[in-house]
Amino acid sequence: MKLVAAVKLLPTADQAMCLRATLARCNEAATWLAAAGHAADTRRQYDMHKMAYAEMRTRFGLAAQMAVRTIAKVADAFKVNHTVAPVFRPDAAQPYDERILRFVQDGAAVSLWTLEGRMVLPIVIGEHQKRLIVFRKGEVDLCLVRGKWFLAATCDVPETEAFQAEDWLGVDLGIVTLAADSDGRSYSGADVERVRSRLTSRKADLQRRGTKGAKRRLCKLAGLEARFRKHTNHVISKVIVQTAERTGRGIALEELKHIRGRVTARRSQRSRLHSWSFGQLCFFVRYKAKRAGVPVVFVDPRYTSQACGACGLIDRRNRPNQATFKCIGCGHEAPADTNAARNIRQRALRATGEVMRPCVLAA
Ligand SMILES: [Zn+2]
């Protein structure tokens, strides 16, 4: 499985200037080569290399491997669109290969080729990224993201073979909570809700103003919200997968394509539904599960919200309101999301031919 590990660089101010100049030079060379290749109808890596390698090195002062990587970058851009010569931003990411990038000082720093020769840069790398980076394969991109320097390394992480699950952790991706599981745990958190409503009201504010400055701030806010959402989804998916792994269970999810259609949200809830990315959360659960060898099944989502997790009775009236489930047959009562998650678990047991076991129903 291909994953990207991010390594943060900690350059001094002088080093950062040199990195910026290096990136700019590589991209200047790339733009020049793209124009030359386009004009000469030469867009394949091999052909561009023959045509321009020597000139790239003398004209732009690139090291041999940097010239090679830059030619490859331009060839890749032509593969996406060969009808125009791409123009590279001065701070566009630049691929490096292992020969011009080395981890040194026991992995506490990297040695990187720059216009001023080799430069040793201290790095920060989290535990998770450290485990990933062992599997890095091929090139590493030097990127400047919002004023910070990163190396993005593609890693080919081996998958753990999935175990045979005899029981499932049912997970409902909901509206009231972001996710709830069949153990009765809900994943939402007041802070998620607080941040989200704060962002929403600030957005409305800026939209009303409609000035140029307000628009710029709106853009920034959108980025902030997306990063917050991604982080939250990472945290939730991690806990879900760890819970399943620790208890030797698989994970049962609803088939995603039905989720948006299923929910009849009131106007006030619609923004919450569409602003939160179910797709991303689902994707994170799936790939983290795959890495950990936790099996994942998808079940038919119909009536999971209206069926009773205790007696199985399906009735619209089992839902007196959005947040509550109360069975009109047996009187069983539970938070609506938890009840749905239990139904998802039951369906997974049925679908995989396991013996039905009643959930331990929390009072
Ligand atoms: Zn019931």
PDB file of all heavy atoms in Angstrom, residues 308-313 325 327-332, ligand 1:
ATOM      1  N   CYS A 308     -34.966  -2.014  15.459  1.00  0.00           N
ATOM      2  CA  CYS A 308     -34.607  -2.156  16.868  1.00  0.00           C
ATOM      3  C   CYS A 308     -33.446  -3.131  17.020  1.00  0.00           C
ATOM      4  O   CYS A 308     -33.491  -4.247  16.519  1.00  0.00           O
ATOM      5  CB  CYS A 308     -35.815  -2.648  17.669  1.00  0.00           C
ATOM      6  SG  CYS A 308     -35.408  -3.005  19.393  1.00  0.00           S
ATOM      7  N   GLY A 309     -32.398  -2.683  17.710  1.00  0.00           N
ATOM      8  CA  GLY A 309     -31.228  -3.521  17.929  1.00  0.00           C
ATOM      9  C   GLY A 309     -31.494  -4.678  18.887  1.00  0.00           C
ATOM     10  O   GLY A 309     -30.710  -5.623  18.961  1.00  0.00           O
ATOM     11  N   ALA A 310     -32.608  -4.632  19.606  1.00  0.00           N
ATOM     12  CA  ALA A 310     -32.923  -5.694  20.556  1.00  0.00           C
ATOM     13  C   ALA A 310     -33.877  -6.723  19.960  1.00  0.00           C
ATOM     14  O   ALA A 310     -33.616  -7.920  19.991  1.00  0.00           O
ATOM     15  CB  ALA A 310     -33.515  -5.092  21.828  1.00  0.00           C
ATOM     16  N   CYS A 311     -35.024  -6.271  19.398  1.00  0.00           N
ATOM     17  CA  CYS A 311     -36.009  -7.233  18.908  1.00  0.00           C
ATOM     18  C   CYS A 311     -36.122  -7.265  17.381  1.00  0.00           C
ATOM     19  O   CYS A 311     -36.771  -8.150  16.825  1.00  0.00           O
ATOM     20  CB  CYS A 311     -37.385  -6.955  19.533  1.00  0.00           C
ATOM     21  SG  CYS A 311     -38.187  -5.477  18.873  1.00  0.00           S
ATOM     22  N   GLY A 312     -35.514  -6.290  16.707  1.00  0.00           N
ATOM     23  CA  GLY A 312     -35.505  -6.325  15.246  1.00  0.00           C
ATOM     24  C   GLY A 312     -36.681  -5.635  14.572  1.00  0.00           C
ATOM     25  O   GLY A 312     -36.730  -5.555  13.347  1.00  0.00           O
ATOM     26  N   LEU A 313     -37.602  -5.133  15.344  1.00  0.00           N
ATOM     27  CA  LEU A 313     -38.775  -4.476  14.771  1.00  0.00           C
ATOM     28  C   LEU A 313     -38.375  -3.212  13.992  1.00  0.00           C
ATOM     29  O   LEU A 313     -37.673  -2.358  14.518  1.00  0.00           O
ATOM     30  CB  LEU A 313     -39.767  -4.110  15.881  1.00  0.00           C
ATOM     31  CG  LEU A 313     -41.007  -3.326  15.433  1.00  0.00           C
ATOM     32  CD1 LEU A 313     -42.011  -4.241  14.728  1.00  0.00           C
ATOM     33  CD2 LEU A 313     -41.656  -2.627  16.609  1.00  0.00           C
ATOM     34  N   PHE A 325     -33.520   6.591  19.893  1.00  0.00           N
ATOM     35  CA  PHE A 325     -34.218   5.420  19.402  1.00  0.00           C
ATOM     36  C   PHE A 325     -35.030   4.843  20.554  1.00  0.00           C
ATOM     37  O   PHE A 325     -34.518   4.657  21.659  1.00  0.00           O
ATOM     38  CB  PHE A 325     -33.227   4.363  18.900  1.00  0.00           C
ATOM     39  CG  PHE A 325     -33.917   3.148  18.369  1.00  0.00           C
ATOM     40  CD1 PHE A 325     -34.237   3.059  17.025  1.00  0.00           C
ATOM     41  CD2 PHE A 325     -34.286   2.118  19.220  1.00  0.00           C
ATOM     42  CE1 PHE A 325     -34.915   1.959  16.541  1.00  0.00           C
ATOM     43  CE2 PHE A 325     -34.968   1.021  18.738  1.00  0.00           C
ATOM     44  CZ  PHE A 325     -35.283   0.927  17.405  1.00  0.00           C
ATOM     45  N   CYS A 327     -37.938   1.727  20.880  1.00  0.00           N
ATOM     46  CA  CYS A 327     -38.717   0.721  20.162  1.00  0.00           C
ATOM     47  C   CYS A 327     -40.178   0.737  20.630  1.00  0.00           C
ATOM     48  O   CYS A 327     -40.448   0.678  21.827  1.00  0.00           O
ATOM     49  CB  CYS A 327     -38.111  -0.657  20.389  1.00  0.00           C
ATOM     50  SG  CYS A 327     -38.995  -1.960  19.528  1.00  0.00           S
ATOM     51  N   ILE A 328     -41.105   0.813  19.660  1.00  0.00           N
ATOM     52  CA  ILE A 328     -42.525   0.814  20.028  1.00  0.00           C
ATOM     53  C   ILE A 328     -42.994  -0.612  20.364  1.00  0.00           C
ATOM     54  O   ILE A 328     -44.049  -0.816  20.943  1.00  0.00           O
ATOM     55  CB  ILE A 328     -43.426   1.400  18.922  1.00  0.00           C
ATOM     56  CG1 ILE A 328     -43.239   0.619  17.616  1.00  0.00           C
ATOM     57  CG2 ILE A 328     -43.164   2.885  18.721  1.00  0.00           C
ATOM     58  CD1 ILE A 328     -44.335   0.879  16.599  1.00  0.00           C
ATOM     59  N   GLY A 329     -42.179  -1.609  20.012  1.00  0.00           N
ATOM     60  CA  GLY A 329     -42.543  -2.993  20.316  1.00  0.00           C
ATOM     61  C   GLY A 329     -42.083  -3.417  21.692  1.00  0.00           C
ATOM     62  O   GLY A 329     -42.880  -3.728  22.576  1.00  0.00           O
ATOM     63  N   CYS A 330     -40.769  -3.360  21.917  1.00  0.00           N
ATOM     64  CA  CYS A 330     -40.218  -3.906  23.162  1.00  0.00           C
ATOM     65  C   CYS A 330     -39.793  -2.824  24.142  1.00  0.00           C
ATOM     66  O   CYS A 330     -39.394  -3.112  25.269  1.00  0.00           O
ATOM     67  CB  CYS A 330     -39.041  -4.839  22.873  1.00  0.00           C
ATOM     68  SG  CYS A 330     -37.546  -3.983  22.355  1.00  0.00           S
ATOM     69  N   GLY A 331     -39.846  -1.592  23.703  1.00  0.00           N
ATOM     70  CA  GLY A 331     -39.518  -0.498  24.618  1.00  0.00           C
ATOM     71  C   GLY A 331     -38.032  -0.219  24.749  1.00  0.00           C
ATOM     72  O   GLY A 331     -37.626   0.675  25.501  1.00  0.00           O
ATOM     73  N   HIS A 332     -37.197  -0.974  24.028  1.00  0.00           N
ATOM     74  CA  HIS A 332     -35.754  -0.750  24.093  1.00  0.00           C
ATOM     75  C   HIS A 332     -35.401   0.675  23.668  1.00  0.00           C
ATOM     76  O   HIS A 332     -35.896   1.180  22.671  1.00  0.00           O
ATOM     77  CB  HIS A 332     -35.046  -1.772  23.191  1.00  0.00           C
ATOM     78  CG  HIS A 332     -33.613  -1.447  22.950  1.00  0.00           C
ATOM     79  ND1 HIS A 332     -32.684  -1.412  23.970  1.00  0.00           N
ATOM     80  CD2 HIS A 332     -32.941  -1.134  21.816  1.00  0.00           C
ATOM     81  CE1 HIS A 332     -31.510  -1.089  23.462  1.00  0.00           C
ATOM     82  NE2 HIS A 332     -31.633  -0.914  22.164  1.00  0.00           N
TER      83      HIS A 332
HETATM   84 ZN    ZN B   1     -37.518  -3.697  20.065  1.00  0.00          ZN
END
